[in-house]
Amino acid sequence: MLNQIDLARVDLNLLTLFEVVLAEGHVGRAAQRMHLTPSAVSHGLGRLRRLLNDPLFLRTPKGVVPTARAMELAEPIAQVLAGARSIVSSAEAFDAGSSTRRFTIGAPDGVSAVLLPPLLARVRAAAPGIALSVRQLLPEPGDAAVERAWRGAYAELEARTMDIAILPAASSPARFHAQVLYEEDFVLALRKGHALAKAPTLDRYCEAEHLVVSQTGDGHGFVDQLLAGQGRSRRVALTVPNFLFALSVIAETDLVSALPRRFVALHGARHGVTVVEPPLPLGKFQLRAVAPHAAMMDAGLDWLFALLAQSRPAPAKTPTRPPARVRK
């Protein structure tokens, strides 16, 4: 059985030292920023090297550069410090107008691209000192059940390395507070002038070449399951890792993709991408802001939830094709 490390014997201030030296790339500048002497910073780095069993930073004529191990540790250490700062700041009375807190929000990029513009406008108006970090969330590959597909996001919420997750989930585990932000469905996105737009029948849709948004490169998605239920199939010619990249590719090719309606309504026009209604029902889903019930005692988090609710998008207006003329 592995021995647990006694954190009482570890100076956690060394993690802050690591963060500052990594950011500055120079012992002297790190010392100035932390109001220490260069000797004290060097001494702290020596303790940290012994603790982590790695040189961590190598001296160069212009400063220091991180080792490969230091780069591996950068993100976990940043998450630990972010969680600690969140805990400390939540113990203070929260005043949005004067707060300088940083909140971390996780969401699929097709969701954050819809919510972020109105949310940022409200944050700037009500709380100019507050900062946001937005992270892309992706489901676990191969898991259809919502709780398992997003288990990584739920784990990060409970670890307090992320404040709020916005998930396409009809429900969440009982230990989480959830608030519906908006309902979404899918449309077909294609370049302007695409032949499919004139007659988007199911046959022509299946004959087209398709683009699927997939971080893992797996071309089989929920649309394929729906088509298989009707004895149909399609050819996925390309997968890309995010929705914004999908728009730029669609604009320059004859590829067709099923994308979230509000996302395309907001960002499609600037890419020269238009939409048509799909020839088969692609279903609807709810986007919910989620956080642990225990975390909701934080007045700052409660404030951010309220601001997200105010940032709900209006119902998307999708252009419709004029009815076909009937020859007499």
Side-chain angles (χ1 to χ4, degrees):
M1 184 175 178
L2 293 175
N3 294 325
Q4 290 188 341
I5 294 175
D6 183 4
L7 288 178
R9 300 176 62 185
V10 178
D11 183 358
L12 297 183
N13 287 320
L14 294 176
L15 300 184
T16 302
L17 178 69
F18 174 93
E19 180 184 58
V20 175
V21 173
L22 181 66
E24 295 294 339
H26 195 278
V27 170
R29 289 197 296 269
Q32 291 178 352
R33 180 168 159 184
M34 299 184 74
H35 305 288
L36 298 172
T37 65
S39 176
V41 172
S42 296
H43 179 70
L45 285 176
R47 294 169 59 198
L48 193 57
R49 285 165 178 145
R50 291 190 294 273
L51 178 66
L52 299 176
N53 194 30
D54 188 86
L56 297 177
F57 297 97
L58 304 177
R59 292 187 179 275
T60 72
K62 295 184 178 181
V64 293
V65 294
T67 64
R69 176 62 175 155
M71 294 305 296
E72 291 175 359
L73 292 169
E75 180 63 22
I77 288 176
Q79 291 180 357
V80 169
L81 292 175
R85 287 167 181 142
S86 177
I87 291 170
V88 172
S89 63
S90 66
E92 302 172 353
F94 178 78
D95 175 57
S98 61
S99 176
T100 57
R101 283 180 65 176
R102 176 177 294 275
F103 292 99
T104 299
I105 301 173
D109 77 300
V111 176
S112 56
V114 170
L115 286 173
L116 195 56
L119 177 63
L120 274 177
R122 286 177 169 82
V123 168
R124 289 194 185 107
I130 281 179
L132 300 177
S133 293
V134 179
R135 294 174 46 194
Q136 182 175 4
L137 295 184
L138 298 164
E140 300 288 338
D143 268 324
V146 170
E147 185 171 353
R148 292 200 305 272
W150 298 102
R151 62 182 180 272
Y154 289 125
E156 289 199 57
L157 289 171
E158 291 188 302
R160 297 303 297 273
T161 57
M162 183 166 59
D163 294 298
I164 296 176
I166 303 173
L167 303 175
S171 62
S172 295
R175 63 190 183 278
F176 289 92
H177 170 79
Q179 178 175 321
V180 176
L181 297 179
Y182 64 99
E183 189 174 69
E184 185 64 287
D185 64 347
F186 287 89
V187 291
L188 302 187
L190 57 169
R191 66 168 176 80
K192 289 183 178 179
H194 196 293
L196 182 62
K198 299 177 182 178
T201 64
L202 184 56
D203 286 339
R204 298 190 68 194
Y205 174 68
C206 291
E207 291 167 359
E209 292 193 327
H210 295 256
L211 177 150
V212 168
V213 177
S214 169
Q215 182 71 22
T216 64
D218 181 6
H220 188 84
F222 76 97
V223 173
D224 299 282
Q225 297 174 0
L226 295 173
L227 288 172
Q230 298 192 24
R232 302 274 191 149
S233 64
R234 62 175 180 169
R235 178 176 181 267
V236 175
L238 179 67
T239 69
V240 297
N242 59 67
F243 288 101
L244 287 170
F245 187 24
L247 286 181
S248 61
V249 173
I250 291 167
E252 301 295 332
T253 67
D254 282 331
L255 295 174
V256 177
S257 186
L259 299 180
R261 182 185 299 272
R262 284 171 177 77
F263 169 73
V264 184
L266 283 173
H267 301 285
R270 77 182 67 155
H271 290 274
V273 171
T274 188
V275 301
V276 296
E277 296 296 332
L280 74 165
L282 298 182
K284 295 183 178 182
F285 57 96
Q286 291 181 331
L287 276 304
R288 293 174 177 245
V290 180
H293 279 297
M296 291 304 296
M297 297 178 66
D298 177 348
L301 198 59
D302 186 65
W303 170 84
L304 186 57
F305 256 83
L307 218 61
L308 276 168
Q310 296 169 23
S311 304
R312 290 185 179 105
K317 295 180 179 179
T318 303
T320 56
R321 295 180 297 110
R325 291 184 177 181
V326 178
R327 293 185 178 180
K328 295 183 179 180

